Amino acid sequence: MKIGVFVCHCGSNIAGTVDVVKVAEEARKLPDVAFASDTMYACSEPGQDGIINAIKDLDLDGVVVASCTPRMHEPTFRKTLERAGLNRYMFEMANIREHVSWVGKDKEANTKKALDLVAMAVAKLTQGKALISKKFDINKRVLVIGGGVAGIQAALDCADGGLDVILVEKTTSIGGKMSKLDKTFPTVDCSSCILGPKMVDVAQHPNITLYAASEVEKIDGYVGNYQVAITKKATYVDWDACTGCGLCMEKCPSKKSTDYFNEEVGTTTAINILFPQAIPKKASIDADFCIKLIKDKCGICAKVCPTNAIQYDQQDEIVTEPVGAIIVATGYDLFDYTKYGEYGGGRYPDVITSMQYERLLSASGPTGGHVKRPSDGKEPKTIVFIQCVGSRDKSIGRPYCSGFCCMYTAKQAILTKDHMPDSQSYVFYMDIRAPGKLYDEFIRRAMEEYGTQYVRGRVSMLYPKNGSLVVRGADTLLGKQVEIEADLVVLAVGAESAVGASKLAEKLRISYDNYGFYMESHPKLRPVETNTAGVFLAGSCQGPKDIPQSVGQGSAAAAKVLVLFSKDQLESDPQVSVVDIKRCVGCGKCIETCPFGAIEEIDFRGMTKSNVIETICQGCGICTSTCPQGAIQLQNFTDNQILAEVNVLCQQTLEKSFE
Amino acid sequence: MSSSLSYAYYPGCSGQGTSIEYEQSSQAVCKALGITLQEIPDWSCCGSTPAHTVDHTLSAALSARNLGQAEGMIVNGVITPCPSCLTNLKTASHRMKDETFRAKTNALLEKPVNNTLPIMSVLQVIYEQVGPEKLKEKVVRPLTGMKLAPYYGCIMNRPPDVMDFDDCENPIAMDRLMEALGIEITPFPLKVECCGASYGVARKDIVMHLSGKLLDAAEDCGAEAMVTACPLCQMNLDLRQGQINSANKTNHAMPIFYYTQLIGMALGLDEADLGMKKLCVDPGKAFRKMEARKAEALEESVVRRSGN
Amino acid sequence: MSADSGKELRIVGFLCNWCSYGGADTAGVGRFQQPTDLRIIRVPCSGRVDPLFVLKSLVNGADGVLVSGCHPRDCHYSEGNYYARRRLEVLKRFLPVLGIDTRRFEYTWVSASEGQKWKTVVEKFTEGIHELGPAPVIDATMIAKAQILAATAL
Amino acid sequence: MNTIRLNTACDADFINQVEKESEQDMSLCYQCGNCTAGCPYTTFYDLPVNQVMRLVQVGQREQVLSCKSLWLCASCESCTTRCPNDIDVARIMDVLRHMSRRAGHATERRVKIFWDAFLSSVERHGRVHEMGLMATYMTKTGRMFTDIDLGMHLIPNGKLSLKPHTMIGKKEVSEIFKRFNEERSS
Ligand SMILES: Cc1cc2nc3c(=O)[nH]c(=O)nc-3n(C[C@H](O)[C@H](O)[C@H](O)COP(=O)(O)OP(=O)(O)OC[C@H]3O[C@@H](n4cnc5c(N)ncnc54)[C@H](O)[C@@H]3O)c2cc1C
Ligand SMILES: Cc1cc2nc3c(=O)[nH]c(=O)nc-3n(C[C@H](O)[C@H](O)[C@H](O)COP(=O)(O)OP(=O)(O)OC[C@H]3O[C@@H](n4cnc5c(N)ncnc54)[C@H](O)[C@@H]3O)c2cc1C
Ligand code: SF4
Ligand code: SF4
Ligand code: SF4
Ligand code: SF4
Ligand code: SF4
Ligand code: SF4
Ligand code: SF4
Ligand code: SF4
C-alpha cells in the first residue's frame, strides 16, 4: 500500500508546540508510507491541491492528514480524495491539534505523541478498504415539531419553497410564547399584530398540514425516509365539524378550569378555545375539569353546539406520516420560581412571573390590559422587577444567562409607565445584557425617558407588610442594603428546556446539554444542524433566544432542508455493519442487541444467518463487539482496524500475543 | 416504643441558667410523648459562637468531646433543644467527615471520636417521630383562640446542607405542631431573620434594632404572642423586651413562649414543670385573650344554631 | 503539565465519537492543559469497545486504559453505552484473575460540552497510573489464561 | 480613599490563605450583592459583606483584617444560604475573623472581650458560668452596669446561678484549650 502523510502547521496552532517537520520526517519511515510532508494550512486551497498532486503524482492508495479534529475537516478531506480519484474512505485523520498542540506545552512530548497518532492512523488505514455509498430516493416532505414563532417561520419558508410540511404542535393552538406577549422589544410593536398574520398563513397554506394537540410518538427510519407516528390527543370535539363559534364556552358551567394560556391569571371554562386568535380556532375539552367526563353529568356543550361537534367518547388517534427531514422547534419553558423560598415560594399573590405580567399588560388578556394586582385587584403604584430569577444561579443548577430577560424587563418597565403614568418601576439587576441592534439604546430609554430606577444588586428576600411587599436587596454601587415597599413584584424568570425535551431528543437520537437544550453540530459553523443527518434545530429549543434570533434560525433550518432536498437522491453512509456470511453461525446475538432493529434473520441455503439492512443501520458497532464469531464487522471500524491502532501503541512484549 | 425513641440528650449550658424553663419544659414534654432522654454523661460546653470565631478545630473539638461522651450509649442519636448547640454539634460532625479535619480535631481530644451518631434537634424529633397528627390526639387542653407568630431564628435550618431539616426560608415544623394544639399561626414573614444573637451584652444597640424589628413584625401581623425554639432568641425578645421598648420608643407587651411550654400546656402538664412563671413578659395576657376568643366563638355558634 | 515531569507512561483511550471525543475536542478548544501520556482511539460508540480491545492493550503493555462514552440516556445510538457499561463491568471483575490491577482500567462518561471535566478525568487517571507505575510485564501463562477467559466469559 | 494599585498591591498569599482555610473558591463570587442584601448586620458594618468578598478577591489584606464587620458577623448563615454561587460566605467571614484575631486586630473590642470571657469561662469550668462571664466582662470593659436591670428578673427566678455548674471532666476541657494553644504557638 502507498500512503501519503500530510502534517499540518495550522499556522502556529500546531507548529507552535509540535515539531511538525520532524513528525513528517519520522512518518516517512513508517511501513507503507510512500510520502510525507508538512503543510502550512492543509484545508486551504493550496493545501488541498498539494494533497491532490501527491496522490496523482505518486499514485497513492490512501492519505493520512495530521491536523485538527476529524469532527471539523474529515468531510473536507474526503472530498479532496475524491477529486483526486481516490475512494473517500481511504483516508484517516490524526488529531494533533485539539488532542495535542492545544492541550500540552511540552514540545518534545507533543511531537512524540503526534507521531504516535500518525502511526496509528497509518496502521488503521492499511487495514481499511474502499467503501461505496448507495444512492436512495428521498421523500421531500418535512416535519416541523413545535409551532412557536421559530417553527412557524420554518414551516412557512419550507412550504413557500414548495415542500409538503407537517407541523405538529403540542397545545391546541400554534403561536408559542410569542402569542402570549403584549408588545415586543426593541420596537414595542404589538406581538399579535406581527405574529397573527403568520399564524393565519400557516392555516391557509396549501402545503402545510397542521396537527395541533398532537405529539410525536415514535420516529423510525433515516434521513430522507423517516416514518413518524403522531398521536392526535383526544380533544372531545370533532374539529372537522367545529366552527369555533364559541357558544359552548359561553354555556359551560365548569368555569374554574386552569387557564394555561393566561398563565393561570384567572380561570377558563372546561371547553375552550385557547385564545381568540387561536390557530386552529377550534374548541377542546379539558378532561380534568369537564363535569361530563368526570361525573357523567352536564353535557350542556353537546346540547348547544350547532354543528354537533362534541364527542365525549373521542380517543387518542395515531397517524403515520412519511417525511424526509425534521425541524425541531419545541422552544423553552419558564423556570419555576417557587424554588426560591426567599421570594415567597409562591405564597405571596402579588409576586408574579414576567409572563403573567405580559398577560396583565395585554389588551386581550384576562384584565383587558389593565394592570391589576392579583391580591386585591388594585392598580399598583410601585413595581419592582427582579432580574436573573432562575438564571446565572449555580446553587439551583442554572448557571447560564437566559439572554432575553434583561430586554423584556426593560420593555415591561416601559409599558408599565405607558399604562400607568404615575407609577414608578425599579429593576434589580446584576448586569445588563443587551447586545443587539438598538438593544442598549432601548435599555437606556427605559432609564432616561421612562424614569425606571435600575438598582445594581440581587434581592435577598421579600415579605409582606401592611398590604405591600418589602423587597430587600443590595445596591452594590452604593455598598448599601436597600429596601423598597412595592405593590407588585415581577420576577424575570429565566428560560429552561421545554418539558419533555430530553424524551423527544431520545426519539430523535439527537443530543442535549446538561440543561436539556439540544446540541447543535458545531457551536459556530453548524448552528442549526444536529449530529443526526436530516434533523435540524430552530429557535430556543437549542438555548434561550429572543424572537429575532428564533425567526432567523427558523429560516436557516428551512434553508438547510431545502438544500438537502435539492437533490433527488441521497448517498447512504457506507460505514455500516456487514455480515461475513461464511463466519456467521446464526446465533442471533447481534439481532438482540442492535438498538435500531437493523439486523434481520435470513435463510441462506437452508441455514439461518444474519443480514444488515443498510439503510437502517446507524453504524454504532454494538453488534460488532457482540458477535462471538467476529462475523459482523462495522465498516471503517473493523476489529482489524482498531486492533491495528492498539498494536501500534502496545507492542511491548511478545510480538505475537493473543488474537 | 420508648426504646425506639431513645436519645442521648445534650441540654446545653443555658438550659442550666437563663433558659431553665426551656430545659424543664423540653424534659416534661419529651416524657409525656414517650421520648426517652438519656443525658450525655458529664457533657461540656459546645463553645457556642465564641469558639468558632477563634478557630474551627477548637470549636469542633469542644463539640466533639460531647459526641464522644455519647458514643457507646444505646440511642438513636444525639438531640438538643438549643439551635446554637445544634449548629455546633452538626457542623463539627459535618466537617469531621473529612479525614484530615477529623484527625486534627481528634488531636485536641483526650479520646478520639468516631462520629457516627446522627444529630437532631428536639424539635425535629417531635416533628418527625411523633408528628402533628399524633400530637393532636394527645391534646387534652386545646389552645384554640391563641394567635401566635412562630419564630425559628436564623440557624435552626441554615445552612440547609448542614442542618438538613425543614425548609430553610419558610420552616413549618413549629407551625404544624402549634396548629395541632389548636393555635392559630399568623403568617410571620421574618421566621428566619436574626434576632441579634449574642450581641446583647457587647452591642446592645444591635439587638435593640434587630429584635425590635421582629417584635414590630409580629405585632403587624396580628400576633398576640410569639413562640420560639431558641434560648438566645427567647432571651433577646423576652428578657430584653423592656430595654427594646425604651430604646425604640415602643410599648410591646408580647409574651414569648418556648414551643415546648405550649405543647406542655396543651397536653395538660403541670404549669410548674413548664416554667411558665419564669417568663419575663407576663404570658397571662395571651391566655386571657385566648379564653375571651373561645367564649366569643362559643356564643356565636349558639346564636347560629338557635337562629336556624 | 506532563505528568510528574517523569517518564511518560502508555495510556490508551477509547472514546466515542459523539460525546467524549467531542469533549476532548472541547477541552482542546478551551486550551485545558493535560498530561501528554494519553493516546486516543476514536470509535463510533462506547458500545463498539470490545472488552478484548482493552484486554489486548493491557496485556500488550499499556499501563492504563480509559474508556469514555456519553452519559447514560444520552447515547447517540440510544443505548450503546449501557451495553458498554455491562461488558466493561464484567471485564473489570476479571482483570485481577489476570494479575492486572483494576485501577489500570477506568470507564467514565463525558459529554461533548464537558471540556473541563475531560481535563479533570485525564489528569486524575494519568496521576493514578503514575502512582501505580509502569505495568508489570506479562508472561505467557497469563496470556493463556486471558485466552481462555476471552473465549468464555466476555 | 487612596487609589489602589491593583497589580502591585494585590497580596496573593492572602487570597490563597483565605481560600485554603475556608475551602472556598473566591473567584466564584460575581459580586451580585445577595449576601449584603440579606445580612441583618449590614447596618452596623463598616464594609458590607460583598465588599469584604471583593477586597479579598483583590488581595487587600490590611483593609479586610482591620474592618469592624468581621467582628460583628453573627454567623446567621443568611449569606451562605442565599449565595447563588454556593459560596459559604459565613465561613469566609469566620476565617477572616480568625486571621484578624491572629494579626492582633480587635476592632470591636467589647465583642472580643465578651467572647474571650465566654471561652475562659468554658476553659475554667467546662461549662459556661453565666454570672462569672458577666463579671469578667464588666471588669474588663469597665461597664459595671451592663444589664443590671435584667439581673433583677434573672436572679430571683433561678436563672442566674451564683456558683459555676460543676462537671467532673472539666480538666478534659481545659486540656483541649491547652493542646490547642500549644499547637498554635508551635
Ligand atoms: C415574559 C417574556 C417576554 C418576552 N418578550 C419578548 C420580546 O418582547 N421580544 C422578543 O424578541 N422576545 C421576547 N421573549 C422571548 C420569546 O418568548 C422567545 O424568543 C420566543 O418565544 C421563542 O420562540 P420559539 O418558537 O423558539 O419557542 P416557543 O415560543 O416556546 O414555541 C415552542 C412551541 O413548541 C411547542 N412544543 C413544545 N414541546 C413540544 C413537543 N414535544 N411536541 C410538539 N410541540 C411542542 C410549544 O407548545 C410551543 O408552541 C419574551 C419571553 C418572555 C418569557
Ligand atoms: C477583535 C475581534 C475578535 C473577535 N472574536 C470573535 C470570536 O472569538 N468569536 C466570534 O464568534 N466572533 C468574534 N468576532 C466577531 C467576528 O469577527 C464576526 O462575527 C464575523 O467576522 C462576522 O462575519 P461577516 O461575514 O458578517 O463579516 P466580515 O468578516 O466583516 O466579512 C465581510 C466581507 O465582505 C467584504 N466586503 C465588504 N464590503 C464589500 C463590498 N462592498 N463588496 C465586496 N466585498 C465587500 C469584506 O472585505 C469582508 O471580506 C470578533 C471580532 C473582533 C473585532
Ligand atoms: S486542516 Fe485543521 S489544523 Fe490544518 S489548517 Fe485547517 S483547520 Fe487548521
Ligand atoms: S364545539 Fe360547537 S359550540 Fe363549541 S366552538 Fe365548536 S362549533 Fe361552536
Ligand atoms: S360537558 Fe363538560 S365541557 Fe361541556 S359544558 Fe359541561 S362541563 Fe363544560
Ligand atoms: S438576560 Fe439579563 S436578566 Fe436574563 S439571565 Fe441574563 S443577565 Fe439575567
Ligand atoms: S452475532 Fe455474529 S454469528 Fe451471531 S448471528 Fe450475528 S453475525 Fe451471525
Ligand atoms: S452497527 Fe450493528 S448494532 Fe449498530 S445499527 Fe448497525 S447493525 Fe445495528
Ligand atoms: S452572594 Fe455570593 S456571589 Fe453574591 S456577592 Fe455575595 S458572595 Fe459574591
Ligand atoms: S453570616 Fe455574617 S455576614 Fe453572613 S449574613 Fe449573617 S451576619 Fe451577615
Coordinates of all heavy atoms in Angstrom, one line a residue, chain B residues 30-59:
Chain B
C30 N -41.1 15.8 76.4 CA -40.5 14.5 75.9 C -41.0 13.3 76.7 O -41.4 12.3 76.1 CB -39.0 14.6 75.9 SG -38.3 15.6 74.6
K31 N -41.0 13.5 77.9 CA -41.5 12.4 78.8 C -42.9 12.1 78.4 O -43.3 10.9 78.2 CB -41.4 12.8 80.3 CG -41.7 11.7 81.2 CD -41.2 12.0 82.6 CE -41.7 11.0 83.6 NZ -42.0 11.6 84.9
A32 N -43.8 13.1 78.3 CA -45.2 12.9 78.0 C -45.4 12.3 76.6 O -46.4 11.6 76.4 CB -45.9 14.2 78.1
L33 N -44.4 12.5 75.7 CA -44.6 12.0 74.3 C -43.9 10.7 74.1 O -43.8 10.2 73.0 CB -44.1 13.0 73.3 CG -44.9 14.3 73.2 CD1 -44.3 15.3 72.3 CD2 -46.4 14.0 72.8
G34 N -43.3 10.2 75.2 CA -42.7 8.9 75.1 C -41.3 8.9 74.5 O -40.8 7.9 74.0
I35 N -40.7 10.1 74.5 CA -39.3 10.2 74.0 C -38.4 10.1 75.2 O -38.5 10.9 76.2 CB -39.1 11.6 73.3 CG1 -40.0 11.7 72.2 CG2 -37.6 11.7 72.9 CD1 -40.1 13.1 71.6
T36 N -37.5 9.1 75.2 CA -36.6 8.9 76.4 C -35.3 9.7 76.2 O -34.7 9.6 75.2 CB -36.2 7.4 76.5 OG1 -37.4 6.7 76.4 CG2 -35.6 7.2 77.9
L37 N -35.0 10.6 77.2 CA -33.8 11.4 77.1 C -32.8 10.9 78.1 O -33.0 10.8 79.3 CB -34.1 12.9 77.4 CG -35.2 13.5 76.6 CD1 -35.4 15.0 77.1 CD2 -34.8 13.5 75.1
Q38 N -31.7 10.4 77.6 CA -30.6 10.0 78.4 C -29.5 11.1 78.4 O -28.8 11.2 77.4 CB -30.0 8.7 78.0 CG -31.0 7.6 77.8 CD -30.3 6.3 77.3 OE1 -29.2 6.0 77.7 NE2 -31.0 5.6 76.5
E39 N -29.4 11.8 79.5 CA -28.4 12.9 79.4 C -27.0 12.4 79.2 O -26.6 11.4 79.7 CB -28.5 13.7 80.8 CG -27.7 15.0 80.7 CD -28.0 15.9 81.9 OE1 -29.2 16.1 82.1 OE2 -27.1 16.4 82.5
I40 N -26.3 13.1 78.3 CA -24.9 12.6 78.0 C -24.1 12.8 79.2 O -24.1 13.9 79.8 CB -24.3 13.5 76.8 CG1 -25.1 13.2 75.5 CG2 -22.9 13.2 76.6 CD1 -24.6 14.1 74.4
P41 N -23.4 11.7 79.7 CA -22.7 11.8 80.9 C -21.6 12.9 80.9 O -20.8 12.9 80.0 CB -22.1 10.4 81.1 CG -22.2 9.8 79.8 CD -23.3 10.4 79.0
D42 N -21.7 13.7 81.9 CA -20.6 14.7 82.1 C -20.3 15.6 80.8 O -19.2 15.8 80.4 CB -19.3 14.1 82.6 CG -18.4 15.1 83.3 OD1 -19.0 15.9 84.0 OD2 -17.2 15.0 83.0
W43 N -21.4 16.0 80.2 CA -21.3 16.8 79.0 C -20.6 18.1 79.3 O -20.6 18.6 80.5 CB -22.6 17.1 78.3 CG -23.6 17.7 79.2 CD1 -24.5 17.0 80.0 CD2 -23.9 19.1 79.4 NE1 -25.3 17.9 80.7 CE2 -24.9 19.2 80.4 CE3 -23.3 20.2 78.9 CZ2 -25.4 20.4 80.8 CZ3 -23.8 21.5 79.3 CH2 -24.8 21.6 80.3
S44 N -20.0 18.8 78.3 CA -19.4 20.0 78.5 C -19.9 21.0 77.5 O -20.6 20.7 76.5 CB -17.8 19.9 78.4 OG -17.5 19.2 77.2
C45 N -19.5 22.3 77.6 CA -20.0 23.3 76.7 C -19.5 23.1 75.3 O -18.3 22.7 75.0 CB -19.5 24.7 77.2 SG -20.0 26.1 76.1
C46 N -20.3 23.4 74.3 CA -20.0 23.2 72.9 C -19.2 24.4 72.4 O -18.7 24.3 71.2 CB -21.3 23.1 72.1 SG -22.2 24.6 72.0
G47 N -19.0 25.4 73.2 CA -18.2 26.5 72.7 C -19.0 27.6 72.1 O -18.5 28.7 71.9
S48 N -20.2 27.3 71.7 CA -21.1 28.3 71.1 C -20.4 29.1 70.0 O -19.4 28.7 69.4 CB -21.7 29.1 72.2 OG -22.8 29.8 71.7
T49 N -20.9 30.3 69.8 CA -20.3 31.2 68.8 C -18.9 31.6 69.1 O -18.0 31.5 68.2 CB -21.2 32.5 68.6 OG1 -22.6 32.1 68.5 CG2 -20.8 33.3 67.4
P50 N -18.6 31.9 70.3 CA -17.2 32.4 70.6 C -16.2 31.4 70.1 O -15.1 31.8 69.5 CB -17.2 32.6 72.1 CG -18.6 32.9 72.5 CD -19.4 32.1 71.5
A51 N -16.4 30.1 70.3 CA -15.3 29.2 69.9 C -15.1 29.2 68.4 O -14.0 29.2 67.9 CB -15.7 27.8 70.3
H52 N -16.2 29.2 67.6 CA -15.9 29.1 66.1 C -15.4 30.5 65.6 O -14.9 30.5 64.5 CB -17.0 28.5 65.3 CG -18.2 29.4 65.1 ND1 -18.2 30.5 64.3 CD2 -19.5 29.3 65.6 CE1 -19.4 31.0 64.3 NE2 -20.2 30.3 65.1
T53 N -15.5 31.5 66.4 CA -14.9 32.8 65.9 C -13.4 32.8 66.2 O -12.7 33.6 65.7 CB -15.5 34.0 66.6 OG1 -15.1 34.0 68.0 CG2 -17.0 34.1 66.5
V54 N -12.9 31.8 67.0 CA -11.5 31.8 67.2 C -10.8 30.8 66.3 O -9.8 31.1 65.7 CB -11.2 31.4 68.7 CG1 -9.7 31.1 68.9 CG2 -11.7 32.5 69.6
D55 N -11.4 29.6 66.2 CA -10.8 28.6 65.4 C -11.8 27.4 65.2 O -12.5 27.1 66.1 CB -9.5 28.0 66.0 CG -8.8 27.1 65.1 OD1 -8.0 27.6 64.3 OD2 -9.0 25.9 65.2
H56 N -11.8 26.9 64.0 CA -12.7 25.8 63.7 C -12.4 24.5 64.3 O -13.3 23.7 64.6 CB -12.9 25.7 62.1 CG -13.7 26.8 61.6 ND1 -13.6 27.3 60.3 CD2 -14.6 27.7 62.1 CE1 -14.4 28.3 60.1 NE2 -15.0 28.6 61.2
T57 N -11.1 24.2 64.4 CA -10.8 22.9 65.1 C -11.1 23.0 66.6 O -11.6 22.0 67.2 CB -9.3 22.5 64.9 OG1 -8.6 23.6 64.3 CG2 -9.2 21.3 64.1
L58 N -10.8 24.1 67.2 CA -11.1 24.3 68.6 C -12.6 24.1 68.8 O -13.0 23.3 69.7 CB -10.6 25.7 69.1 CG -11.1 26.0 70.5 CD1 -10.4 25.1 71.5 CD2 -10.7 27.5 70.9
S59 N -13.4 24.8 68.0 CA -14.8 24.7 68.1 C -15.3 23.2 67.9 O -16.1 22.7 68.7 CB -15.4 25.6 67.0 OG -16.8 25.4 67.0

